[in-house]
Amino acid sequence: MTEAARVLALLAERGQTLAVAESLTGGLVAAELTGVPGASAAFRGSVTAYATALKHELLGVDGKLLAERGAVDPEVASQMAAGVRARLGADWGIATTGVAGPDPQDGQPVGTVYVAVAGPDGETARTAVPTGAVAGAPTGKVVPLRLNGDRGEIRRESVRIVLALLREELSGNVRAQDTEQNGGN
């Protein structure tokens, strides 16, 4: 079973939906998900906001943040995931932003990638608060990556990791809900 199939099965079990915001992956996450038969039961859609301005216009990423830090930033990834979740009416949002190469972007080297997950009602928590971000802001989980390889390899690995991150969040939340429903341990 592929990572996309696992994610979609977990979402279907929960009766929840997913939306995707992509930059460097250019639609590869959505293609991976829609390659699974029955994906429409949980997958709402995606926004490929490749141009920086579209991250603001379509996904609601803070324009000042984009101007100050550029598109390759953990808070941008977080806002992309939250924005696509809200705009497409999904329970979960995931996002990818980064530098696939061949040249650096926004002062970031090739292989710098941020993947993010935003869940319903603040179910996910930030693992680290980036410089300039507000601690405790309910914006989801962001994972920084430093990937090696050529452009295609960086993009494919970004897809694999963002789907694995979502699966971990869904699996963790299923365990937490089960523990809660069964009175603890």
Side-chain angles (χ1 to χ4, degrees):
M1 180 181 282
T2 66
E3 197 68 61
R6 285 189 212 47
V7 163
L8 290 166
L10 285 168
L11 287 164
E13 285 174 22
R14 296 168 68 122
Q16 293 182 325
T17 57
L18 172 65
V20 177
E22 301 187 65
S23 185
L24 87 148
T25 51
L28 291 176
V29 177
E32 191 74 14
L33 290 164
T34 58
V36 176
S40 61
F43 182 58
R44 300 266 308 147
S46 67
V47 173
T48 300
Y50 208 64
T52 298
L54 292 179
K55 290 170 182 63
H56 171 69
E57 294 165 13
L58 298 178
L59 299 170
V61 175
D62 182 271
K64 184 177 177 188
L65 172 68
L66 288 166
E68 290 175 358
R69 295 195 225 160
V72 183
D73 180 83
E75 186 61 25
V76 169
S78 180
Q79 289 186 23
M80 286 173 65
V84 78
R85 178 181 169 267
R87 282 173 167 68
L88 298 188
D91 296 296
W92 293 85
I94 59 176
T96 63
T97 188
V99 186
D103 300 315
Q105 179 186 337
D106 297 332
Q108 300 289 338
V110 172
T112 301
V113 176
Y114 297 97
V115 295
V117 175
D121 304 318
E123 282 187 19
T124 57
R126 180 184 302 285
T127 54
V129 178
T131 305
V134 178
T139 53
K141 184 173 188 175
V142 180
V143 174
L145 306 171
R146 297 286 182 246
L147 303 175
N148 295 313
D150 64 23
R151 181 176 176 80
E153 291 167 327
I154 290 168
R155 294 174 72 218
R156 285 188 300 275
E157 189 66 2
S158 298
V159 171
R160 186 191 69 75
I161 292 171
V162 76
L163 289 172
L165 177 63
L166 176 59
R167 180 184 44 78
E168 289 170 10
E169 289 297 308
L170 289 166
S171 297
N173 285 325
V174 166
R175 284 191 297 273
Q177 286 176 351
D178 182 53
T179 299
E180 208 172 86
Q181 290 169 357
N182 291 311
N185 307 336

